[in-house]
Amino acid sequence: MTDGRITTAKLGDHGPEVGVQGLGCMGMSFAYGPSDADTSRATLDRALELGVTLYDTADAYGAGENERFLSPFFKAHRDEVVIATKFALSIPPDDPTRRVIRNDPPYIRQAVEASLKRLDVDVIDLYYMHRRDVNVPIEESVGTMADLVREGKVKHLGLSEVTADELRAAHAVHPIAAVQSEWSLFSRDIERHVVPAARDLGVALVAYSPLGRGFLTGSFTDAEQDLSAGDFRRQQPRFTGDNATANATLLGLIRSVAEAHDATLGQIALAWVQQQATVHGLPVIPIPGTRKPSRVEENTAATGIVLTDEQLDLLDGIAAQVAGTRYADMTFTSVGRE
């Protein structure tokens, strides 16, 4: 970093230049309980000051509310930010609590128009397929996404939670700039197949939940006891009951590395993800989510931490000891289809 600003990296062979750390914006209006709009807006501003340029949202976050919330910030800084949003999780009109995965071309066109309107922009910089509908050939879906690029509605294409084979099939239709998948000290399943495929194809890896949805920061130890009733982490197997108790013991290893760097647990977790770019030989852009300016400052400071080989070895075995799966239903993840 120079003067507190983070460095940049290219989002794969076919994507834009972005800050080496992005910002996950979901929690500003969805999933993690009550939030304060003014504080969230201050967080967006502070992130930009620190060189964060990739801002991640989705049409499913709050049924479009997250996109609407971000729109004024994006409009005020349109030439400085890279807007990433997603489609695929359709909300049935008769049941707003459900999500139905749709990758069919008519839905993709409907979704992009709705996102453009909510964001109030002419073009989306990075448009992701949020989840994969195996009943629709990926070539058909990506073909429609490629049409959106040709029509000037989208600049770059991304995929989320796809397998290596799905990524290769998609990339053969149109260059993919980024694959977004969960990657952290607790979640490393993508290293087996997806990461090597992305490296070979020149695709960046955008790591969501690099802080283990906050668990790796030590901010909570049992979701049911520590988090509000509306927080969706209460539904994730890793963060409740015996699993949470077992997983909390794993933070001791991270804490020992943090002490050596005079850093926080979260900074070490982020530094580990960022350093996978060197380990695996591809661009890696973590997108930690936060709603507080102070956390953005803490997170971006982690880009200056370099872990030693000995520290990487010490942290290497954590994931194999994690109790519980990422989601109760893993069929919607890449590893669930491999």
Side-chain angles (χ1 to χ4, degrees), residues 45-219:
D45 291 335
R46 185 62 178 136
L48 189 59
E49 290 173 352
L50 292 168
V52 175
T53 56
L54 178 64
Y55 294 82
D56 186 87
T57 182
D59 60 1
Y61 299 162
E65 188 54 39
N66 199 245
E67 290 178 325
R68 293 188 192 94
F69 173 78
L70 294 169
S71 175
F73 171 76
F74 290 155
K75 288 193 70 177
H77 303 282
R78 189 63 190 96
D79 295 336
E80 303 170 80
V81 300
V82 173
I83 301 171
T85 192
K86 316 177 195 71
F87 75 89
L89 299 181
S90 173
I91 303 172
D94 60 340
D95 187 356
T97 64
R98 288 182 61 221
R99 299 291 186 271
V100 177
I101 299 177
R102 290 188 61 180
N103 293 172
D104 56 286
Y107 180 75
I108 295 173
R109 289 195 165 276
Q110 172 188 331
V112 75
E113 295 297 342
S115 285
L116 286 167
K117 183 176 181 180
R118 285 188 293 263
L119 292 165
D120 196 16
V121 296
D122 296 325
V123 61
I124 293 166
D125 299 312
L126 178 59
Y127 199 43
Y128 287 103
M129 176 191 294
H130 203 163
R131 291 291 184 270
R132 173 88 173 95
D133 178 0
V134 296
N135 298 309
V136 179
I138 197 164
E139 295 85 354
E140 186 176 329
S141 302
V142 176
T144 299
M145 295 169 71
D147 288 341
L148 300 180
V149 175
R150 286 187 282 271
E151 294 164 14
K153 296 177 180 179
V154 170
K155 289 184 180 179
H156 306 283
L157 302 185
L159 304 170
S160 181
E161 289 287 359
V162 292
T163 67
D165 288 344
E166 290 165 348
L167 173 59
R168 292 189 185 97
H171 196 76
V173 175
H174 187 279
I176 303 299
V179 167
Q180 184 175 142
S181 288
E182 185 166 351
W183 201 4
S184 74
L185 283 166
F186 270 21
S187 300
R188 299 181 58 182
D189 49 69
I190 63 169
E191 294 175 28
R192 194 160 49 246
H193 301 298
V194 177
V195 169
R199 180 188 60 233
D200 294 346
L201 296 170
V203 176
L205 208 300
V206 174
Y208 77 80
S209 297
L211 296 173
R213 303 191 186 278
F215 195 88
L216 288 168
T217 69
S219 61

Side-chain angles (χ1 to χ4, degrees), residues 186 237-240 242-244 246-247 250 318-326:
F186 270 21
R238 289 182 174 172
F239 306 138
T240 58
D242 292 341
N243 287 346
N247 292 335
L250 300 176
I318 290 177
Q321 303 177 62
V322 173
T325 54
R326 296 200 268 136

